[in-house]
Amino acid sequence: MYRLLFLFLLSMVPVIELRGAVPIGIGWGYPFWLVYLVCVVGNLLPVPVLIPFAGRVLRWGAGLPRVGGLFRKILSIGEKKVAQATGTRRAILLALYLFVAVPAPGTGAWSGALIATLLGMPVRRAFWPIAAGVATAGLIMGVASYGVLGLLG
């Protein structure tokens, strides 16, 4: 039971997220459906909070003396991307889904929530493409994990 709680909490951690938790759960011998469910729910839980508050955190961080430049740069990039976002709403939602779905470094629910914040998307519109991306990434990581574990024996 503690291991499942660990997977749930690990899925919430930025950078690691579900991409790191799924292989661990499968390596521990839990059935895929259980690992998938625990990790997807854990990864999605912070998203509705992140989207509305990430912008506030970025603006607050921009005023800090030592790291303010980094926060200002992120805000500047976001403003430029919003100005360049000439695609339709569907194209933007599809791009957000694909960004979150590809299990690569720097992608995931946290990054997707940050992008949604920078694009000024409301939680209702941004949550579903992020959720679908997390679900897809969980399936990809499950398939990849069983493949690697199968090769290892």
Side-chain angles (χ1 to χ4, degrees), residues 2 6 13 16 24 31 33-34 38 48 53 56 64-65 71 79 97-98 100-101 108 110 130-131 140-141 152:
Y2 289 113
F6 176 78
V13 176
I16 298 170
I24 292 171
W33 68 268
L34 182 59
V38 167
F53 293 110
R56 292 179 188 161
L64 295 175
F71 286 93
E79 290 168 2
Y97 159 73
L98 292 172
V100 175
W110 283 74
I130 292 172
I140 292 170
M141 290 308 299
L152 294 177

Side-chain angles (χ1 to χ4, degrees), residues 107-121:
T107 66
W110 283 74
S111 300
L114 180 60
I115 289 169
T117 297
L118 293 173
L119 292 175
M121 297 174 74

Side-chain angles (χ1 to χ4, degrees), residues 6-135:
F6 176 78
L7 290 177
F8 180 78
L9 295 174
L10 188 62
S11 296
M12 288 186 203
V13 176
V15 179
I16 298 170
E17 299 186 37
L18 156 139
R19 289 144 174 78
V22 167
I24 292 171
I26 290 171
W28 284 340
Y30 286 110
F32 175 68
W33 68 268
L34 182 59
V35 171
Y36 181 79
L37 181 67
V38 167
C39 293
V40 166
V41 172
N43 200 184
L44 287 176
L45 195 62
V47 171
V49 176
L50 289 172
I51 294 171
F53 293 110
R56 292 179 188 161
V57 171
L58 287 172
R59 286 187 293 280
W60 170 79
L64 295 175
R66 294 185 186 230
V67 294
L70 174 66
F71 286 93
R72 285 188 296 276
K73 184 173 182 163
I74 292 170
L75 285 169
S76 171
I77 290 169
E79 290 168 2
K80 288 177 187 174
K81 293 301 178 187
V82 168
Q84 294 172 353
T86 58
T88 65
R89 198 166 90 195
R90 281 187 180 172
I92 292 170
L93 295 177
L94 177 62
L96 182 59
Y97 159 73
L98 292 172
F99 178 82
V100 175
V102 174
T107 66
W110 283 74
S111 300
L114 180 60
I115 289 169
T117 297
L118 293 173
L119 292 175
M121 297 174 74
V123 175
R124 282 178 280 125
R125 192 176 331 149
F127 181 79
W128 296 111
I130 292 172
V134 167

